[in-house]
Amino acid sequence: MEPELPRKRIAVLASGRGSNFQAVIDAIAAGDIPAICVRLVTDNPGAYAIERAESAGIPVTTVDFAKFPSKTAYEEALLAAMQDCRADLFVLAGYMRILGPEIVHEFSGRMINIHPALLPAFAGLHAQWQALEYGVKVAGCTVHIVDEGVDTGPIVIQRCVPVLPDDDEAMLADRILAEEHKALPLAVKLFCEDRLEVTDRRVRIR
Ligand code: GRF
């Protein structure tokens, strides 16, 4: 029998529905990822991700953006909440805010994000709509390491889907989401197995 890998501590940041978070929870429960999810951190007290965390017995910290007088004050509280997780890896799974430079610096190389486009095309919000408007024939998702830019960090995994002639934004988003649910757990697994080697922009999978 293979010796078991030591389990990494991961924490997830999510702002909404949390289906990518659920995909990671399920992959851990299935024994596919040598990790324990120690916390969900959310900026949104109404996020459905909170219910998913509760069902899985994962503690939740809510840093409610609306309750802070400024973005700086919010980021200070978020940084403290993240430090408190003592996580090896932070997974941004539909976290809908841009992280400030202090947080990015503090957890440099230890944060990954899922984006619903084939980066570097269509960074930022409404990526699926941007792809449709542009008229691309292939779309998809990207898991990347977080750096100080918006969706600019080194790419870990990409998966693609066709764009069909009658697609609307929701149809394309659903098709991409199914691939996100494969890409994100795989990227988390590779990180937790120490299989990612990052040199400048390039990520080699060992
Ligand atoms: C996903 O499409 C993700 O790529 C984007 O926001 C969406 C979040 O979906 N950043 P969910 O909350 O994981 O269901």
Side-chain angles (χ1 to χ4, degrees):
M1 237 172 71
E2 297 264 324
E4 268 194 26
L5 287 167
R7 294 202 292 168
K8 295 264 200 276
R9 294 171 62 86
I10 71 163
V12 173
L13 270 69
S15 302
R17 177 179 59 180
S19 68
N20 279 290
F21 173 39
Q22 187 70 53
V24 172
I25 293 173
D26 293 346
I28 292 174
D32 292 341
I33 302 176
I36 167 166
C37 184
V38 296
R39 192 88 56 92
L40 168 72
V41 180
T42 183
D43 57 327
N44 172 14
Y48 186 65
I50 294 173
E51 289 178 42
R52 297 183 190 271
E54 285 169 355
S55 302
I58 297 167
V60 179
T61 299
T62 304
V63 186
D64 183 355
F65 184 82
K67 294 225 163 98
F68 290 86
S70 64
K71 169 115 200 256
T72 311
Y74 164 75
E75 287 260 323
E76 267 174 31
L78 181 63
L79 174 61
M82 290 174 75
Q83 284 167 332
D84 194 49
C85 294
R86 292 180 295 110
D88 299 300
L89 174 69
F90 290 92
V91 180
L92 277 57
Y95 175 71
M96 300 309 281
R97 296 182 190 282
I98 295 164
L99 290 171
E102 273 196 20
I103 291 180
V104 173
H105 183 249
E106 173 88 11
F107 305 109
S108 172
R110 294 196 286 132
M111 289 194 293
I112 58 174
N113 178 47
I114 177 90
H115 181 72
L118 294 174
L119 291 170
F122 315 130
L125 291 176
H126 306 296
Q128 304 94 333
W129 177 84
Q130 291 185 56
L132 275 181
E133 284 292 296
Y134 200 92
V136 292
K137 303 293 188 196
V138 177
C141 63
T142 304
V143 181
H144 65 90
I145 294 169
V146 176
D147 68 6
E148 289 192 14
V150 177
D151 302 322
T152 52
I155 291 170
V156 180
I157 293 191
Q158 294 189 301
R159 295 183 64 95
C160 52
V161 299
V163 179
L164 303 179
D166 296 326
D167 273 352
D168 60 22
E169 192 182 348
M171 290 158 79
L172 180 59
D174 280 351
R175 196 174 306 121
I176 294 171
L177 192 66
E179 298 305 312
E180 294 182 44
H181 294 165
K182 297 174 192 158
L184 187 61
L186 176 57
V188 175
K189 173 186 169 73
L190 293 170
F191 182 97
C192 291
E193 293 177 349
D194 290 321
R195 288 170 63 195
L196 300 181
E197 201 175 284
V198 186
T199 313
D200 301 322
R201 282 210 56 83
R202 298 210 184 178
V203 180
R204 180 187 290 266
I205 297 172
R206 285 195 285 253

